[in-house]
Amino acid sequence: MSHSINATQLFIIGSHASQTMSPDLWNPVFEALGNHWSYEPRDVPAHSPMQEIRNSLLSTEVIGANVTMPHKQWAAGIADERSEQVSLSGAANLLIRQGGKLHAYNTDLIAVATKLATRMHDHVVFLGAGGAARAALVALQGHIGTVTIADRDQEAANQLLSLATHMGVPGKSVDWPRASQAAAQASLIINATPIGKHAEDGAAWGTAQLLPGTYVYDFVYSAHTTGTIKAAIEQGLEYSDGWEHLLLQAEAMVPLLGLPEQGKTQLRHSLQRIRANN
């Protein structure tokens, strides 16, 4: 994808966009590539008027924007073009301007597919039922036997189960106290909750012993090793942590933005610097 010489601006849009590490991740990459792009946060609280935001993204100076909570559903809904997978998930975390149109992508979905959609998973337990879980479910279409979904918001869990049913995946939702019991029978556990952000947090599923061979996928990244990943390591299980997910979804942006393959190497270097300073 080529961009006009005037298009140099990328943003991250979210209620707490200025607290994300995305500018620190991407600006060194752009500097190393010498393309004079800039990546800036835009704090947009929930329930803000969004038409002005959409209009601003159509400016000729803008390349696009990452979109984080709580605006991922908005991003999917207002895009002029979106893939079937984005439509199915109902969420997008990247909008790219092409001419007078906004194209929606979900790099969370691409990251999960890259890591996990290489084999069948007999029983997937989703801890959390928000946008990240929806992206993971869609990414694994055709690679899931059954699902169990647990969320503190039972209605959210039921909605994700409805999506799974629509995709032809049988399963059930359980209330949060039964998440640990469900996890003990999983072949793949996806933690799509914020559990792990705090150093004192335990494993997202609680104290259950998991089956040998269970794979643990954690969306949460932090300066410390999350309780979920600690438990996976202690139980000798294969896992992907939130830092790996962050890198995978960032790497997925490289071809979408029309950047050279070298951008992926620069992303790894940039992420290593961030982790070293945390």
Side-chain angles (χ1 to χ4, degrees), residues 95-175:
L95 293 169
I96 297 178
R97 182 184 66 82
Q98 292 180 246
K101 294 184 177 181
L102 292 175
H103 292 241
Y105 303 90
N106 191 320
T107 59
D108 283 333
L109 195 156
I110 297 170
V112 173
T114 298
K115 193 67 182 180
L116 298 178
T118 58
R119 56 178 169 172
M120 280 296 298
H121 303 278
D122 292 337
H123 179 205
V124 183
V125 172
F126 288 89
L127 303 176
R134 292 179 71 87
L137 176 62
V138 173
L140 292 173
Q141 188 170 19
H143 295 83
I144 300 176
T146 63
V147 296
T148 300
I149 300 162
D151 193 287
R152 288 190 172 91
D153 181 345
Q154 190 61 46
E155 179 58 30
N158 290 338
Q159 288 177 5
L160 187 60
L161 180 61
S162 294
L163 176 57
T165 302
H166 174 74
M167 292 168 52
V169 180
K172 63 182 178 180
S173 64
V174 298
D175 57 27

Side-chain angles (χ1 to χ4, degrees), residues 23-263:
D24 292 335
L25 176 64
W26 280 102
N27 281 321
V29 173
F30 298 150
E31 183 177 357
L33 295 176
N35 62 4
H36 307 293
W37 290 4
S38 66
Y39 191 110
E40 302 171 12
R42 295 180 67 174
D43 287 329
V44 181
H47 310 300
S48 297
M50 299 300 291
Q51 185 60 44
E52 184 178 344
I53 300 297
R54 186 188 191 282
N55 292 344
S56 70
L57 294 179
L58 292 171
S59 168
T60 56
E61 292 82 19
V62 173
I63 296 164
N66 280 124
V67 182
T68 188
M69 297 303 293
H71 303 306
K72 291 183 180 183
Q73 288 180 307
W74 166 81
I78 59 90
D80 300 294
E81 301 287 345
R82 66 189 68 81
S83 69
E84 182 180 347
Q85 285 186 312
V86 168
S87 296
L88 191 58
S89 71
N93 67 351
L94 176 64
L95 293 169
I96 297 178
R97 182 184 66 82
Q98 292 180 246
K101 294 184 177 181
L102 292 175
H103 292 241
Y105 303 90
N106 191 320
T107 59
D108 283 333
L109 195 156
I110 297 170
V112 173
T114 298
K115 193 67 182 180
L116 298 178
T118 58
R119 56 178 169 172
M120 280 296 298
H121 303 278
D122 292 337
H123 179 205
V124 183
V125 172
F126 288 89
L127 303 176
R134 292 179 71 87
L137 176 62
V138 173
L140 292 173
Q141 188 170 19
H143 295 83
I144 300 176
T146 63
V147 296
T148 300
I149 300 162
D151 193 287
R152 288 190 172 91
D153 181 345
Q154 190 61 46
E155 179 58 30
N158 290 338
Q159 288 177 5
L160 187 60
L161 180 61
S162 294
L163 176 57
T165 302
H166 174 74
M167 292 168 52
V169 180
K172 63 182 178 180
S173 64
V174 298
D175 57 27
W176 188 254
R178 295 171 63 196
S180 184
Q181 180 183 354
Q185 303 301 318
S187 60
L188 168 64
I189 294 175
I190 295 178
N191 178 34
T193 75
I195 297 171
K197 281 290 187 185
H198 303 292
E200 64 271 20
D201 290 346
W205 61 82
T207 58
Q209 186 75 20
L210 305 183
L211 292 172
T214 300
Y215 194 105
V216 176
Y217 195 98
D218 193 0
F219 274 89
V220 178
Y221 61 89
S222 183
H224 58 269
T225 302
T226 68
T228 293
I229 297 303
K230 281 182 182 177
I233 293 170
E234 289 168 359
Q235 296 186 35
L237 302 175
E238 193 177 359
Y239 64 86
S240 295
D241 66 12
W243 290 100
E244 184 173 13
H245 176 80
L246 182 65
L247 178 61
L248 286 171
Q249 65 88 22
E251 287 181 340
M253 288 177 58
V254 168
L256 296 176
L257 292 172
L259 295 172
E261 191 71 12
Q262 179 191 356

